[in-house]
Amino acid sequence: MKITGAKVIVTCPGRNFVTLKIETDQGISGIGDATINGRELAAATYLAEHVIPALIGRDPRQSEDIWQYLYRGVYWRRGSVTMTCIAAVDMALWDIKAKLAGMPLYQLLGGASRTGVLVYGHANGRDTAEVIDEIARYQAMGYRAIRAQSGVPGLEEVYGVGKGKLFYEPADRGAVAKEALWSTPEYLDHTPVLFDKLREKFGFGVELLHDVHHRLTPIEAARLGKSLEPYRLFWIEDPTPAENQESLRLIRQHTVTPIAIGEVFDSIHDSHQLIKEQLIDYIRSTVLHAGGITHLRRIADLAALYHVRTGCHGATDLSPITMGCALHFDLWVPNFGIQEYMRHSPETDAVFPHAYSFDTGYLHPGETPGHGVEIDETLAARYPYQAAYLPVARLRDGTMWNW
Ligand code: GCO
Ligand code: MG
């Protein structure tokens, strides 16, 4: 069996997505996601210029050897663009392999370890009243776990509170990123008050989560975790930037609020200390930015040794292809924790028809052979690329900060 061709499809049904399609001499094709929010064309060019020529003629069933070739063979290993492009190839090859076997991908990984994948949705509001309305809406849809993000008095725009509700999209159209103001004291004062009101309103029967989005220093994060303990959150996410893995030790010494980190990591080396020293409870890496199913499986196996469970990233800037692959992975992985599920817009769902479905708080990847996600190329061609960037943040005195 041989790879006979491959192409990159860039489409913008509301937001930009980069898709790799691999074709074989047996008439079976597979697709993978290569989307990096705000750097989409870097991944598209990397695939077209540096990866596709090396794929032609290879046996698509040798997904491990191709992974190693693209990782070791590049010499300048790792980095988000490289690892995302490797992931796109890996997803497409697992898709082909599972189609060839006539099985849904999860069967090739070891079969289902559970009946469905627990997911969390996003309740976003400009103030507490709006967040309460949103949580009620998600509960009515059947969600059992909900992430709550609120506007902060005194700050005009903050991460997690979008223009839309169900289809939250933080990137803004234009050639240059928008700038937003960030101020930590207001956020630290407001967040415990928010969760106090949420628990008072909804009780403890719903899992609540919160994303700090890298905006605190370790000692500030420790304070937040401590102040949220009475509200028993499922997790706080990205409490501080984790390039310095040791800094998590300080947060751990002060709080028992569970910690989730890893959506921006691109390999096992970014999280091995966090995992081995049990400095986190959930690893957020997913099949897209962390080198595909082949690499994520290694991260999850390491995490299992240290009681760390998975909590894959699942924002709308990850295409339905990533969601499909993540769900096959989640259905199998023994140390599964939870899966993020930020719903895609109807336009995106139409471009990427998929077999996965939602039922009473759980997603299931479906039984279609492969990963169960396709691309409608004719429809995709109607939505050309549009430059869009995530905002950047500055403190009141103009200092650059993490958005
Ligand atoms: C999340 C993430 C996203 C990111 C987005 C950036 O937890 O879902 O933090 O909201 O900001 O994926 O492209
Ligand atoms: Mg996040």
Side-chain angles (χ1 to χ4, degrees), residues 98-355:
K99 283 176 180 166
L100 200 62
M103 291 181 189
L105 206 165
Y106 73 83
Q107 293 291 8
L108 271 58
L109 298 174
S113 303
R114 52 196 57 81
T115 51
V117 171
L118 177 70
V119 295
Y120 69 91
H122 285 212
N124 313 319
R126 280 169 299 182
D127 54 28
T128 306
E130 261 190 38
V131 180
I132 287 177
D133 288 350
E134 283 302 297
I135 292 183
R137 191 147 76 108
Y138 273 87
Q139 277 194 315
M141 286 190 278
Y143 283 82
R144 295 157 193 270
I146 301 165
R147 183 184 103 157
Q149 305 291 139
S150 162
V152 175
L155 300 182
E156 213 169 283
E157 269 182 39
V158 296
Y159 164 79
V161 185
K163 301 130 231 167
K165 289 283 183 229
L166 271 181
F167 317 116
Y168 170 68
E169 173 50 64
D172 288 296
R173 296 267 166 85
V176 180
K178 262 180 63 180
E179 300 204 357
L181 170 73
W182 174 250
S183 180
T184 298
E186 287 90 326
Y187 169 76
L188 280 182
D189 290 343
H190 181 253
T191 307
V193 179
L194 168 74
F195 280 93
D196 186 53
K197 294 201 175 123
L198 297 183
R199 282 303 186 203
E200 191 187 299
K201 175 82 189 165
F202 295 101
F204 283 78
V206 57
E207 296 291 358
L208 293 178
L209 300 84
H210 181 68
D211 192 347
V212 184
H213 221 250
H214 324 267
R215 290 169 299 184
L216 300 180
T217 64
I219 197 70
E220 290 164 351
R223 164 178 287 275
L224 179 72
K226 208 170 178 174
S227 66
L228 292 176
E229 278 173 13
Y231 316 114
R232 197 188 49 67
L233 267 61
F234 188 93
W235 76 33
I236 51 170
E237 179 187 337
D238 290 326
T240 196
E243 285 99 332
N244 177 357
Q245 298 184 34
E246 275 172 39
S247 66
L248 266 292
R249 235 182 259 143
L250 185 140
I251 304 177
R252 265 309 207 220
Q253 280 159 8
H254 291 286
T255 181
V256 292
T257 294
I259 297 171
I261 292 191
E263 67 182 35
V264 300
F265 292 168
D266 53 54
S267 91
I268 197 164
H269 303 287
D270 296 322
S271 56
H272 79 279
Q273 186 183 1
L274 292 177
I275 291 172
K276 282 164 89 171
E277 294 188 24
Q278 295 176 227
L279 298 175
I280 56 172
D281 301 279
Y282 296 91
I283 178 73
R284 292 272 295 147
S285 302
T286 192
V287 290
L288 172 56
H289 299 122
I293 293 162
T294 298
H295 195 62
L296 190 65
R297 194 159 62 164
R298 303 221 152 97
I299 298 176
D301 282 343
L302 176 71
L305 301 181
Y306 298 96
H307 307 281
V308 174
R309 294 191 283 157
T310 64
C312 291
H313 186 203
T316 37
D317 48 288
L318 283 53
S319 94
I321 305 170
T322 288
M323 184 54 75
C325 290
L327 292 173
H328 286 276
F329 183 84
D330 294 336
L331 199 66
W332 156 73
V333 70
N335 48 324
F336 171 73
I338 201 165
Q339 166 70 50
E340 180 179 20
Y341 176 43
M342 218 171 173
R343 286 165 180 262
H344 286 108
S345 66
E347 291 77 15
T348 298
D349 282 339
V351 170
F352 298 95
H354 51 75

